[in-house]
Structures are given as C-alpha cells and as structure tokens.
C-alpha cells in the first residue's frame, strides 16, 4: 500500500499501512492490558474477601441460588475457591506479561520511526 504523507509536529512524516496497523494494534493491546489489570484487581479483592470469611456456617450465593454449607464444607469450599482464584490471577498475570511484551516491541518500532511525534504513554488517572 502507498504511504500517506501527514504533517505531524511540524514535520512531514510518511505513515505506511503497516505503521497504521501497528498503531492500531498498540491501541487494542493497551486497552486489553487495562482490562487484564482490572480483572486481576477484582480477583484479588475476591480472594481477600474469601480470606476474611471465618464463619462456621456459610450461606453462599451463586448466581440466583443460595447454598448452605456446614463448617467442614465451608472450609473445603473456601480452599477450593481460593486456589481457583489464585490460578486465575496467575493466568491473567501471564497474559498481562505477554501483552506488555508486545507493547514494548511496538513502542520501540513506532518511536524509532516517529520519535517525539507520537505519544504511546498511558495517561495517568
């Protein structure tokens, strides 16, 4: 595909189709990284809530259904739930690492071509 010539930061810069694809990929991956961070934080909150539960009898809501568990069942349920959450957090952390790696590679390529004419840093909230 032909390059599009645009004036960015006072300089004429050729933006190829591949460049635009990389910029789009960077934007999608950045959004995905934020989703993963939010999911990890939610799972950590759930995990902390489970750690705080120390009742001998537990009524637990799953969707629209409440279940009643004995003390032994409660402990087993909580241990299983904690383990499952920890595994989910590990998986999300791994996915987050992969996305960060892709973002790092794209940053190098895009900054090498566009220098200070492109801003790929996430805005602080």
């Amino acid at each position: 595909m032909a390059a599009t010539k645009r004036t960015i930061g006072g300089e004429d810069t050729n933006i190829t189709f591949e460049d635009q694809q990389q910029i789009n990929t960077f934007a999608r991956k950045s959004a995905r990284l934020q989703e993963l961070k939010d999911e990890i934080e939610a799972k950590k909150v759930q995990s902390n809530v489970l750690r705080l539960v120390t009742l001998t009898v537990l009524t637990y809501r799953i969707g629209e259904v409440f279940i009643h568990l004995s003390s032994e069942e409660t402990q087993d349920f909580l241990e299983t739930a904690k383990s499952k959450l920890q595994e989910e957090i590990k998986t999300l952390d791994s996915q987050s690492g992969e996305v960060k790696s892709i973002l790092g590679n794209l940053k190098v390529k895009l900054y090498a071509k566009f220098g200070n004419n492109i801003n790929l840093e996430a805005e602080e909230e």
Side-chain angles (χ1 to χ4, degrees):
M1 292 239 157
T4 303
K5 195 170 207 173
R6 295 190 183 156
T7 302
I8 301 174
E11 299 176 24
D12 285 339
T13 305
N14 289 326
I15 300 174
T16 64
F17 178 74
E18 181 181 327
D19 295 334
Q20 189 61 51
Q21 293 301 97
Q22 289 177 345
I23 292 167
N24 293 344
T25 299
F26 187 88
R28 284 192 306 274
K29 295 296 183 183
S30 292
R32 179 63 181 143
L33 182 60
Q34 188 58 49
E35 290 171 2
L36 288 169
K37 286 178 180 179
D38 292 344
E39 272 188 76
I40 290 169
E41 190 59 36
K43 299 282 183 198
K44 286 181 179 179
V45 168
Q46 286 177 333
S47 182
N48 288 336
V49 168
L50 288 175
R51 283 188 189 97
L52 296 174
V53 175
T54 56
L55 303 173
T56 55
V57 178
L58 175 71
T59 301
Y60 192 77
R61 180 177 176 205
I62 300 177
E64 300 281 326
V65 178
F66 288 91
I67 57 174
H68 185 76
L69 302 172
S70 69
S71 178
E72 187 176 300
E73 290 171 325
T74 299
Q75 292 302 319
D76 290 343
F77 176 81
L78 290 175
E79 291 304 317
T80 301
K82 286 181 203 176
S83 296
K84 182 179 177 188
L85 280 172
Q86 291 303 319
E87 287 301 316
E88 289 173 356
I89 290 170
K90 284 180 186 177
T91 300
L92 292 171
D93 279 335
S94 173
Q95 291 174 358
S96 178
E98 291 170 9
V99 170
K100 285 178 183 177
S101 175
I102 291 169
L103 288 174
N105 290 335
L106 286 171
K107 272 186 182 183
V108 168
K109 290 177 185 175
L110 293 170
Y111 276 130
K113 177 151 187 176
F114 299 108
N116 291 334
N117 294 326
I118 191 166
N119 181 12
L120 303 175
E121 301 305 319
E123 292 180 14
E124 296 296 321
E125 294 180 16

